[in-house]
């Protein structure tokens, strides 16, 4: 079946502009995650959605970052007033939280470049 | 070993050799561990996982070993192929969290033909 998809694949923006990144999880997966990966680094947790529960936003680096998940499926990560340090690859993952395991399946990421 | 700044640990092997990639995890309360493979320009791809009630798990050409005493995880790849060239990340479930994963900085594996 189809995996996690993200759009756009690349985004170049000017400092101070707002950007929206989209994630389509695997159909039927109830959990959705956003991560950030800076050049040559591991993945940094940003936010987690599970069903209708309140999201865990503990990884968001500042109040310029927000995310929502509509209808329990598609999610949008919004970065307001972008800064150069926001440049990174933003990865989305989903999981089905079945059987006590939580294997997360990742999308290809959105490479964000802030000029 | 662990990386510093932008410099990833690297491992270079010859095609057909076995590879061993090591990872030191941070939280003794973590009870679920995963290895991911990330090729250039792609998202991480699940390889194999292991729970803390096991010390070894085998998949197709891959084996994960877990040593909880020293908080060490390793990934063994048998008969390494050029297609195995990638960055490999270990991840732990953040001290037993149901969902939050903490990732290591990764190891770059290069397979020479």
């Amino acid at each position: 079946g189809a995996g996690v998809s993200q759009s756009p694949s690349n985004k170049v923006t000017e400092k101070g502009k707002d950007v929206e990144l989209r994630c389509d999880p695997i159909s039927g997966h109830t959990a959705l995650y956003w991560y950030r990966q800076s050049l040559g680094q591991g993945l940094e947790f940003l936010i987690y959605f599970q069903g209708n529960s309140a999201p865990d936003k503990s990884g968001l680096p500042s109040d310029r970052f927000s995310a929502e998940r509509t209808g329990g499926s598609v999610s949008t990560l919004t970065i307001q007033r972008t800064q150069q340090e926001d440049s990174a690859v933003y990865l989305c993952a989903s999981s089905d939280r079945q059987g006590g395991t939580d294997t997360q399946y990742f999308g290809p990421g959105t490479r964000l470049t802030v000029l | 070993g662990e990386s510093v700044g932008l410099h990833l640990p690297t491992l270079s092997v010859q095609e057909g050799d076995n590879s061993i990639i090591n990872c030191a995890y941070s939280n003794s309360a973590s009870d679920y561990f995963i290895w991911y493979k990330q090729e250039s320009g792609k998202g991480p791809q699940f390889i194999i996982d292991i729970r803390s009630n096991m010390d070894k798990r085998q998949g197709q050409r891959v084996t994960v070993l877990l040593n909880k005493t020293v908080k060490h995880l390793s990934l063994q790849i048998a008969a390494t192929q050029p297609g195995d060239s990638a960055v490999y990340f270990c991840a732990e479930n953040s001290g037993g969290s149901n969902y939050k994963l903490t990732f290591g900085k990764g190891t770059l594996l290069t397979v020479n033909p």
Side-chain angles (χ1 to χ4, degrees):
Chain A
V4 177
S5 61
Q6 292 185 245
S7 60
S9 55
N10 281 284
K11 176 71 177 179
V12 180
T13 190
E14 293 179 346
K15 178 182 174 181
K17 301 285 189 182
D18 297 352
V19 296
E20 285 189 352
L21 312 179
R22 177 186 169 108
C23 172
D24 286 82
I26 292 172
S27 178
H29 279 192
T30 59
L32 187 146
Y33 315 76
W34 282 99
Y35 292 87
R36 178 169 68 175
Q37 186 175 30
S38 300
L39 183 64
Q41 299 294 308
L43 280 69
E44 173 190 10
F45 169 81
L46 296 178
I47 188 169
Y48 161 75
F49 296 90
Q50 170 57 39
N52 295 321
S53 302
D56 177 348
K57 304 179 181 180
S58 61
L60 295 178
S62 78
D63 59 8
R64 296 186 295 104
F65 288 72
S66 63
E68 63 179 21
R69 189 178 185 193
T70 54
S73 181
V74 173
S75 177
T76 302
L77 176 69
T78 301
I79 309 173
Q80 297 178 308
R81 305 180 302 282
T82 51
Q83 304 294 312
Q84 289 182 334
E85 60 263 29
D86 299 335
S87 296
V89 175
Y90 289 82
L91 290 157
C92 175
S94 70
S95 69
D96 64 7
R97 305 297 312 280
Q98 298 294 323
T101 63
D102 190 30
T103 302
Q104 298 180 25
Y105 296 91
F106 284 83
T110 294
R111 180 174 297 278
L112 175 65
T113 303
V114 182
L115 302 177
Chain B
E2 295 297 320
S3 65
V4 176
L6 298 178
H7 301 288
L8 288 176
T10 58
L11 175 65
S12 184
V13 301
Q14 291 298 122
E15 182 177 359
D17 288 351
N18 297 332
S19 302
I20 300 176
I21 301 171
N22 296 303
C23 177
Y25 64 92
S26 58
N27 195 322
S28 58
S30 296
D31 59 8
Y32 179 59
F33 306 88
I34 311 173
W35 279 100
Y36 283 94
K37 171 187 180 183
Q38 187 174 28
E39 296 174 277
S40 181
K42 297 184 179 180
Q45 175 188 358
F46 171 85
I47 301 174
I48 192 168
D49 58 3
I50 188 169
R51 292 204 169 274
S52 59
N53 60 353
M54 303 174 68
D55 53 19
K56 179 179 180 178
R57 190 170 187 214
Q58 289 184 296
Q60 186 176 14
R61 280 201 309 118
V62 295
T63 301
V64 55
L65 299 178
L66 175 62
N67 185 330
K68 295 181 287 294
T69 302
V70 295
K71 294 190 290 186
H72 184 268
L73 196 66
S74 69
L75 176 70
Q76 300 178 0
I77 305 173
T80 316
Q81 302 168 0
D84 295 328
S85 295
V87 176
Y88 290 80
F89 293 97
C90 65
E92 61 183 295
N93 70 333
S94 304
S97 161
N98 284 334
Y99 57 88
K100 193 175 296 186
L101 294 180
T102 300
F103 285 79
K105 288 190 169 66
T107 296
L108 174 62
L109 174 66
T110 301
V111 182
N112 302 308

